[in-house]
Each structure stands twice: as structure tokens, then as C-alpha cells.
Amino acid sequence: MSEQGPKNPIEELERKVQELLKDPQVQASMRSMVAGANPSPQAAAGGPAHNAPAPGEESAETLRRIRSFNLRPREIRDYLNRFVIKQDEAKKILSVAICDHYNHVRQCLDTPELRERDYAKQNIVLLGPTGVGKTYLMRCIAKLIGVPFVKADATKFSETGYVGGDVDDLVRDLVKTAGGDVELAQYGIIYLDEIDKIAAAQNLLGGRDVSGRGVQVNLLKLMEETDVNLHSQTDLLGQMQAMMDMQRGGKPRPAKINTRHILFIVSGAFDKLADQVKHRLQSTSIGFGAAQPTASSERDFLAQATSQDLIAYGFEPEFVGRLPVRIACQPLSAADLKQILLTSEGSILQQYRADFAGYGINFDIGHDALHEVAVRAQTENTGARGLMTVLERVFRDFKFELPSTAIKTFVVGPSTVAHPTAALQHLLRENADRQHDVLRAEVTAFATRFRQNPGFDLLFADDAVGALIDASLAADKTIRALCEEKFRDFHHGLKLVARNTGRTQFPITQEVVEAPDKILSIWVVESFRVARATEGLA
């Protein structure tokens, strides 16, 4: 048995880095990185070799906007109204919290001594069912302000030492999103979804709760204030970059980032919390003359959740205390979903219009059809995400069939939403005559491509075009696929014919379409006879 003790992980990492640096490919990559960091004098002077924006220019502009932050809560609310339907209370609370946070950041940048004063960050917890716009709200806010934004699921993290991600990776990802600019990243937003999934469940066996309490404890320091190492111990690339910075003698990059000004938002569906609050309210209203609970829906009960309710749900008291701003989002009705389709600038309906427009196709959809879509989407119980589920079901076959037809516009009615397959078949039958013109154009397009490579003219007769169209419709196969299958050997065969006879034009009749390999063989054999006869005369 060896007498040596366990290896020092830092020394082992340094050894691996040294071995990695000996690799010729890594050395070449490092030389390329060094060259990129030290441009030529011509490029540095702004010559033709330097057309891209100066490094850090975009980050500097974002920092300037943060330093001059002057948005008002109503302005943020109005901006959110363009994208998110309903959630009026959530928009109001978020707008105030965001303005308070970035006004404080601006003041700290203007007056550095303010940084030393205690300041309770307005970290936010969003409660509500899936698909009501929780993530979308935060993305829109981050886009409006221009700060780096990172979203992750709480379920992928585990307590340090166990399988899973490290919560510090959230901050490192924020730095990556900021293009490596640590100063910019420290004013970003971290959004952690499915936070309710790490509520510490009751462990009757007294074992260690790896996925719940441990992650909460690790998140505490991030949400308050701490310094996070930008490179983990296993980050070989980061170690290499640091060594290269030292070799170049330039200004070393920051090794840590402080989380004091990073805003943390967590969210979750909290499926059982409404029942828990309802039970508490009903328990406290027992007796003659006792007031009955005023909540009438799941959202109303979530809005009345207290810190004690969250603690009872499975969260550490310190963790709950770091999330002073609590917002209960409303479930979406069918009318809300219809309004999303009609007025939201981020409506999924606009995406489908763009998809069809890529093929030069447009569609008209009336209010009755939109109502039908909204009603069906509500039954999915996935909020606004249900709209995409329904629209995908409606338009799936239309997307597949129509780009290969002459149809450039169609109407979507309630019957189309209810029975999309039948509606599509009816539309195709109505335009069957025009389909022959499309297929005929595809034959011409194939002949054009064949003329370009290998450079021969295929002269399709009318009976040949008719035979190809009939075969295409019968086999439910495109003209392109059918021609490539039938004439796949013509590239090589016609080259032989052309070399022997000098021919570059070849008539394609119905006989050729029905037996292409047989006719090609006849042409090749005949070309060799012509070649031998020509040689004999010579």
C-alpha cells in the first residue's frame, strides 16, 4: 500500500494545465489568441484591418445607460404592457422594485461612499402557474434596461460536493453573457425558475437533504453579498487564460466578482402553496361571527402567502428573508389568451405568420377562430404556452403541404381550428387545377439545375411532363425527388454519350420517364458504335 497521502487538488490541477500546455494544438490556439489580443499597428491605427467596433464599446454604452438610469415605474409598466397581457399588479410591483434597485446602483456609481452603507436589495419571488408570463416579464425588463440577464432552473443545482451544478455558476454565466466584462456583469439580473422544487421536503429518515436545503443555503450568500471566483478549480481554460495574461504582462483580469448589485429573481408554480394558505385562513376563521376567507381563486390565496407560509412550504427563514418582494401572478383566462394573440408584440401568432411568409404564403384569421384557439389553449392548463400547442396542431399539416403548392393565401375559421385536416384537404381540392402548373414549373427547375451541372440540356416533352406529374401525385413525392431518383445515373451516362458523339441536348419523352435506365443504356451503347464508326472512317 502506498504511503503517500491524498494529492493536493490545486497541485494536481497545475500539473494538468502544464501537460495541456505541451499539446501542439493548444500551443497553436494560444498563439492565435495572443495575436488576436495584440493587433497589428495598422489595425490598431484604425486601418482597413480594423473595421469592427472597439473592444468593450458595447459594454461601455450599457454602463453609461446604467449610470444615467432615469426610468420611472409607469414607463416600465407601459413598456411591459406591449408584450405581456394582464398581470397588472405584477407589472406595478416589478416596475417599482426595478426602479428602486437601479436608482440605488446609479447613486452608488455617482457617490462611491454610498456603497459602504447597508442596503436591503429588493430581490423578488414570483408565484404563479406556468405560462402566465413570469419569465417573459423579466426578459423584457432586462432588454429594456440593457443589462446582462441569465436564466436557469433551480433543479439543476445541488449542494457543493454532490452531483450537480454549483450555484456560483450562475454568476459566472452572467459574466459570460456580459462578454467577460465583470464591471457590467455585477449590475445584471439572475433569474432562477422552479425555485419551489428545492423546498426542503420532510425527511422522515433524518437523512441529508441534498437538493433542497443545501442549495438554499448556498444561494443565501449570493443574494446578499459575496465575492465569487470567476474560475472554478476545474476550469482549465480559465487557468490558461490567466497564465497568458501574465505572460503578456498586461493588466490582469479580475479574479472575482461581487454580487452586491446583482438583482435576483426567483419564481415557481408553488402548486400546493395555495391549498396551504387556504387551509390556514379557514383554520383561523372557525367560530361564530368569524370572518371567512376573502380569497376566491388560487391566485388570491397565493397573494395572501406570508413568510411563515413559505417557511412551512420548505424554505429556510434566512432564504425567505432575502426575497422581500413577493408577487402572485394571475392565471390567464380564454379572453386573456385571445388578447395575447391580438395585441402582444411577442404574440406567437406573429411567429406563424413569419413562418408562412418565408414561403410567400399569407393567411387571414378572424376573431371567431382566435376565440376557438384561446378556448382550446386554456384547456391545456399551460397558460400562454398552450397557444403554441394549439396553433402547432392547427398549422402543422398546412406548413408541410402548402409550400409545395400554388396556394399563396388561405383563411382560418373556427372549423379550421376544430378540424384542421379536413380543412386542408378541402383547400387542396379547391386548388387542384393550379397544382399542375406548380409541378410543371418544378420539372423546368430540375432541367435548369441539370443544365448547370453537368451541363447538358434535358428537353422534356409534354407527354414526359404529364407522366412525371401523374407519378408525383400517385406516389405523394415531389417532382425534385422523383426526377433525382429516375435520372440519378444520367450525370455519368450522358458524359459518356457526349464524349463519344459530342451531343449536349437530349430529348426526354414519356418512354424515357417510364424506363430511364433502359433508354440511357441504349444511348450509351449507340454512342460507342458511333465512336467506332467515326474512328474507322478516319
Side-chain angles (χ1 to χ4, degrees), residues 3 5 7 19 105 149 152 157 219 229 273 277 288 322 351 355 386 421 433 453 468 526 538:
E3 297 180 357
K7 295 182 179 180
E19 292 179 355
V105 170
F149 176 83
F157 299 105
L219 281 170
N229 290 322
L273 183 60
V277 175
F288 292 104
R322 299 300 193 280
Q351 178 178 319
D355 292 341
T421 301
D433 294 340
N453 182 28
L468 286 170
E526 183 64 26

Side-chain angles (χ1 to χ4, degrees), residues 21 27 43 53 82 90 121 161 198 214 229 278 285 292-293 307 310 319 349 354 368 433 528 532:
L21 291 175
Q27 292 176 355
R82 292 165 48 189
K121 262 195 308 187
I198 65 167
N229 290 322
K278 180 180 180 181
S285 61
Q292 295 299 313
S307 296
L310 292 173
F319 184 79
L349 187 62
D368 291 343
D433 294 340
F528 278 104
R532 284 197 297 269

Side-chain angles (χ1 to χ4, degrees), residues 376-406:
R376 291 174 178 268
Q378 189 183 28
T379 62
E380 297 289 332
N381 293 319
T382 55
R385 294 187 179 93
L387 291 172
M388 184 171 185
T389 302
V390 175
L391 289 175
E392 178 62 23
R393 188 182 303 141
V394 171
F395 287 125
R396 181 185 301 143
D397 290 340
F398 283 78
K399 280 185 175 182
F400 181 78
E401 296 288 351
L402 297 191
S404 298
T405 70

Side-chain angles (χ1 to χ4, degrees), residues 450-469:
F450 202 91
R451 184 182 304 115
Q452 296 171 349
N453 182 28
F456 302 123
D457 284 323
L458 298 183
L459 307 178
F460 285 89
D462 289 341
D463 60 351
V465 174
L468 286 170
I469 291 175

Side-chain angles (χ1 to χ4, degrees), residues 49-60:
H50 186 72
N51 295 323
E57 184 177 322
E58 184 175 350
S59 297

Side-chain angles (χ1 to χ4, degrees), residues 11-29:
E11 294 178 353
E12 181 67 13
L13 178 62
E14 291 178 351
R15 183 185 64 80
K16 291 182 178 179
V17 171
Q18 292 296 336
E19 292 179 355
L20 190 62
L21 291 175
K22 295 177 183 179
D23 190 308
Q25 293 184 350
V26 174
Q27 292 176 355
S29 177

Side-chain angles (χ1 to χ4, degrees), residues 50 86 90 135 140 186 229 231 290 294 340 368 466 495:
H50 186 72
K86 212 171 181 177
T135 303
C140 291
Q186 67 182 340
N229 290 322
H231 304 295
T294 58
I340 289 174
D368 291 343
K495 286 181 181 179

